[in-house]
Amino acid sequence: MIEHAFLIPLLPLAASFLILFGGPERKDSPLPYAGIAAIGLSLWISLRILFDAWSGALPLPYEADWSWFSFAAELRGRPFIFDMRAGVLIEGATAVMLAVVCLVSLLVQVYSLGYMHGDAKFKRYYAYLSFFTASMLGLVVSNNLLVTFACWELVGVSSYLLIGFWFEKTAPPYAAKKAFITTKLGDLGFFLALLTIFAYGGTFNIVRLRDAVAMGYLPELVLTLIGLGLLAGAMGKSAQWPLFIWLPDAMEGPTPVSALIHAATMVAAGIYLVARCYFIFAASQVAMDAVAWTGLITAFLAGTMALVPYDIKRVLAFSTVSQLGFMMCALGVGGYAAGLFHLTTHAFFKALLFLGAGSVIHAVHTNDMRQMGGLSKRMPVTFMTMTVGSLALAGIPPLAGFFSKDQILEKVFERSPFMFAVLALTACLTAFYTFRMVFLTFRGEERDTERFRHAEESGGVMTVPLVILAVLSVCSGWALEHAHAFARLVGSGPGLLPGAAGEAAHHIDPMVMATGVTGAAFLAIGLAYRLYCTPDLSAALAWKERLSLPFKVLEDRYGFDAFFLGLVDAADRLAGLCRWVDAEVVDRIFVDGWGLLCRIAAELSNLFDALFVDQAVDGCGYISRDVVGANLRWFSLRGRVQEYLLYLAVGVSLFSILR
């Protein structure tokens, strides 16, 4: 089955074009089912590959490539033909990611049949969704970093189309542009890293590049620069500090899109890129430290910002950023398997939470949790499944998030107790804000009677994906952790050199750590219950009044949006200044002034020509014609041959004498 791995991204790509160009736009178009069928077939191939790899029947890594294009070049004075090849590279992490992306995408597409039913652009939505999935799958399987970068950019284009899907409104186009431009800042670093890789490594092939690094062909400084460039790209796509400003606003797209972006595709791309090129980071301690600290800062800042929003989707958006910080920090401290483990489990319960939020929004037609409350009575399936997802996100045993989060904390403690303390605090904040969301939405009394009265449980096409994801949120952690199955499948990091990540400097009893962190999480849940499971939210509002300054800072997102918008404003002002300099100085003084000087010089030249040159020419003509010519004409008009002979004789005589 693995020989058909190249079909995994091609099937949804073909489906996207079929849906887009296959017929007119209709609310009841059957073409979206082609997208569901395509991703279903891709999921089947992915699961077969994963099962074979898990059982040991399929030796990994597996690579197959084909000639893409070739060009003539010269190396050390010798001409040669460079053959650029593109193909697939299946490793343990690749097999897992393929299955996760395909599964979440399939559930999102099925869910969207209910959520997007009746939308005027129903067919176009599914075309974009299939194209988005195909781009991510191409990024996952590619063995060539240049192809990876191309798919990386296609993911960005797809997200732009989906975030701004309802472009007739005001907010979605702004959010789409913000996401696109912000991620391009990081992509610049990725592109520079690619140029450096080709300049020093002479190849974009991941396996060959890994061998070159292992044999020491690339200097450590070069590897550091490459690693930092790749990290910049990951910071943009995976919304790491300070480029996380686009992700909360990306909630303006349809909620199923948010589930796909935040669970298994776009934001996972940056984490996967670092994992895919882990051999580069492991060879540079500076790059590894940069990854770890970036993840740590991101996890804490986003975790605190998730404490204050009342928009249910924005709470989940900040939560996603924070959890991505956990994964990035794990990779930075050498926890390759731990980071990917959390990436896998997080995909299930975060997709569940976003789709559950979509079910709520679909029922009450608002994102504001202050207008909800008591919905557990009206939407029991959504309530139960979202509670399961929230417990998993909070890291409560025995759900999936407990196993993956604890692996990260244990690995981080080995490297730095300070980092562990920050992440443990962030884990407690996660439990608090997650159940703040649950209590505001589902518990207590209804705060908007009209919305509560019209709220109904979503149909089966939306609740069945919720139940499936809830089951995975319960079982996947234990199943992947059992007998260290996940760690054995993905390994400790492709190309990781012995001792590259350093030796563990600190140790902690995993049971003590798990008990302490879980106990703190329960206390955080109890505090959330005390503050937000009340009809009038008086306790929460009282604390908000007492802590008005910190709340204001968090609501303003630590000023990051203002800072970047200030940069944009400064850039606009600089552009205006440059325009003024160009128009008033360069054009008016230098260009127009030089033209004026040239015109004055031309007028003076014309005057000199008219007064002197032309008069001299006319004077010469007058003398030749009216003086000399007239006298000569007097002689020539006499008609006396004897005189002519006399003149001739005199001339010959003078010539003879002068000679």
Side-chain angles (χ1 to χ4, degrees):
M1 184 59 69
I2 197 168
E3 63 272 13
H4 302 301
F6 69 94
L7 292 175
I8 296 174
L10 293 182
L11 287 170
L13 179 64
S16 68
F17 285 106
L18 174 63
I19 296 170
L20 190 61
F21 300 110
E25 185 72 78
R26 301 202 321 263
K27 296 181 180 180
D28 59 344
S29 174
L31 287 172
Y33 291 96
I36 296 175
I39 194 61
L41 186 54
S42 294
L43 176 61
W44 168 250
I45 299 173
S46 300
L47 290 176
R48 287 288 304 273
I49 293 173
L50 179 61
F51 178 78
D52 290 344
W54 201 303
S55 63
L58 177 65
L60 295 180
Y62 167 85
E63 184 180 20
D65 60 3
W66 306 270
S67 180
W68 183 15
F69 63 88
S70 59
F71 59 89
E74 186 174 299
L75 179 64
R76 297 186 181 92
R78 296 182 179 180
F80 71 100
I81 301 297
F82 186 89
D83 184 25
M84 182 71 74
R85 302 182 68 82
V88 299
L89 174 62
I90 308 297
E91 300 169 320
T94 309
V96 173
M97 278 297 296
L98 288 175
V100 170
V101 172
C102 289
L103 176 59
V104 174
S105 180
L106 176 62
L107 294 176
V108 166
Q109 293 203 33
V110 172
Y111 177 96
S112 297
L113 291 173
Y115 191 89
M116 298 298 291
H117 177 71
D119 193 281
K121 296 175 288 188
F122 183 65
K123 185 177 75 76
R124 187 188 306 180
Y125 168 82
Y126 269 90
Y128 292 166
L129 210 59
S130 293
F131 188 72
F132 188 29
T133 304
S135 303
M136 182 63 190
L137 291 172
L139 186 156
V140 171
V141 301
S142 173
N143 71 335
N144 184 305
L145 285 175
L146 186 61
V147 178
T148 298
F149 183 71
C151 294
W152 181 277
E153 294 303 315
L154 290 177
V155 168
V157 172
S158 306
S159 66
Y160 172 81
L161 295 173
L162 287 168
I163 294 170
F165 182 74
W166 287 317
F167 54 80
E168 63 275 8
K169 301 178 182 179
T170 302
Y174 174 81
K177 289 186 291 184
K178 186 175 182 180
F180 190 80
I181 295 171
T182 304
T183 55
K184 292 310 110 183
L185 292 176
D187 293 352
L188 177 61
F190 190 178
F191 181 68
L192 294 175
L194 286 181
L195 296 181
T196 309
I197 286 171
F198 193 75
Y200 284 89
T203 182
F204 290 119
N205 182 275
I206 295 173
V207 175
R208 295 178 186 172
L209 185 61
R210 184 183 303 159
D211 293 339
V213 172
M215 290 184 284
Y217 291 161
L218 278 72
E220 184 177 349
L221 177 60
V222 172
L223 291 172
T224 299
L225 294 175
I226 293 172
L228 294 177
L230 295 175
L231 175 60
M235 288 165 63
K237 275 291 189 290
S238 289
Q240 298 294 288
W241 173 88
L243 299 181
F244 52 41
I245 61 169
W246 67 269
L247 198 57
D249 294 306
M251 299 299 97
E252 297 297 339
T255 302
V257 171
S258 302
L260 193 58
I261 288 177
H262 288 246
T265 53
M266 183 171 177
V267 297
I271 306 298
Y272 181 75
L273 176 68
V274 174
R276 187 71 145 174
C277 300
Y278 203 59
F279 57 93
I280 293 176
F281 291 92
S284 169
Q285 191 59 49
V286 173
M288 289 287 280
D289 290 342
V291 171
W293 283 101
T294 297
L296 182 74
I297 295 171
T298 301
F300 179 75
L301 291 182
T304 55
M305 286 188 285
L307 297 172
V308 298
Y310 287 101
D311 186 318
I312 187 171
K313 289 174 65 177
R314 276 180 167 75
V315 173
L316 294 175
F318 285 120
S319 170
T320 298
V321 176
S322 182
Q323 297 305 304
L324 292 169
F326 271 82
M327 302 170 205
M328 193 70 82
C329 188
L331 292 174
V333 299
Y336 175 82
L340 290 177
F341 188 20
H342 196 55
L343 178 65
T344 303
T345 59
H346 176 264
F348 298 137
F349 55 74
K350 188 51 62 70
L352 167 61
L353 289 172
F354 266 108
L355 294 183
S359 178
V360 171
I361 295 168
H362 191 260
V364 299
H365 305 290
T366 181
N367 293 19
D368 194 335
M369 295 183 292
R370 290 169 294 186
Q371 300 178 20
M372 300 178 189
L375 290 177
S376 60
K377 307 167 189 175
R378 307 288 296 180
M379 308 179 70
V381 176
T382 301
F383 166 63
M384 291 300 297
T385 53
M386 281 197 73
T387 301
V388 169
S390 299
L391 289 169
L393 176 59
I396 303 301
L399 282 83
F402 166 76
F403 294 97
S404 57
K405 178 206 67 180
D406 272 25
Q407 278 196 13
I408 291 176
L409 291 176
E410 182 180 352
K411 198 69 181 179
V412 170
F413 186 87
E414 292 177 358
R415 306 301 303 161
S416 169
F418 171 76
M419 287 185 168
F420 167 82
V422 174
L423 287 187
L425 173 61
T426 306
C428 295
L429 296 178
T430 302
F432 177 82
Y433 67 67
T434 302
F435 277 88
R436 169 182 178 266
M437 174 190 69
V438 172
F439 295 144
L440 280 173
T441 304
F442 293 104
R443 303 304 297 168
E445 299 298 324
E446 64 272 15
R447 287 181 289 276
D448 190 317
T449 305
E450 187 67 20
R451 295 183 188 277
F452 178 82
R453 188 165 57 86
H454 287 92
E456 294 182 358
E457 184 62 86
S458 302
V461 74
M462 294 173 65
T463 55
V464 168
L466 294 179
V467 173
I468 293 173
L469 288 168
V471 172
L472 290 171
S473 298
V474 173
C475 302
S476 62
W478 178 86
L480 295 173
E481 169 67 11
H482 182 66
H484 304 289
F486 187 87
R488 285 189 290 105
L489 177 62
V490 303
S492 61
L496 185 63
L497 303 179
E503 299 297 329
H506 309 276
H507 298 278
I508 188 173
D509 187 330
M511 185 61 67
V512 172
M513 183 199 70
T515 302
V517 174
T518 302
F522 274 116
L523 290 176
I525 294 172
L527 179 60
Y529 179 85
R530 174 69 180 81
L531 293 177
Y532 294 100
C533 202
T534 57
D536 57 358
L537 304 179
S538 56
L541 293 175
W543 276 104
K544 182 177 180 180
E545 185 69 24
R546 293 191 191 107
L547 303 173
S548 57
L549 180 59
F551 267 82
K552 177 63 175 173
V553 172
L554 295 178
E555 287 173 347
D556 292 340
R557 305 176 189 178
Y558 290 103
F560 281 103
D561 279 65
F563 173 74
F564 280 102
L565 290 176
L567 289 181
V568 173
D569 183 61
D572 289 342
R573 293 177 182 274
L574 179 61
L577 177 62
C578 291
R579 179 188 175 279
W580 181 86
V581 170
D582 182 67
E584 301 299 327
V585 179
V586 177
D587 283 353
R588 187 178 296 275
I589 296 178
F590 291 99
V591 177
D592 295 343
W594 181 253
L596 179 62
L597 289 176
C598 291
R599 184 173 178 181
I600 293 173
E603 292 295 335
L604 292 175
S605 175
N606 179 61
L607 181 63
F608 179 82
D609 185 69
L611 294 178
F612 297 99
V613 178
D614 284 355
Q615 292 298 326
V617 171
D618 293 344
C620 291
Y622 171 77
I623 293 172
S624 298
R625 185 189 65 185
D626 296 340
V627 178
V628 178
N631 292 324
L632 290 177
R633 185 168 59 250
W634 180 80
F635 286 110
S636 64
L637 294 177
R638 292 169 64 85
R640 296 178 180 178
V641 178
Q642 295 88 342
E643 289 184 6
Y644 299 157
L645 292 175
L646 177 62
Y647 300 151
L648 179 60
V650 171
V652 171
S653 299
L654 291 173
F655 178 75
S656 300
I657 294 171
L658 293 174
R659 187 178 179 187

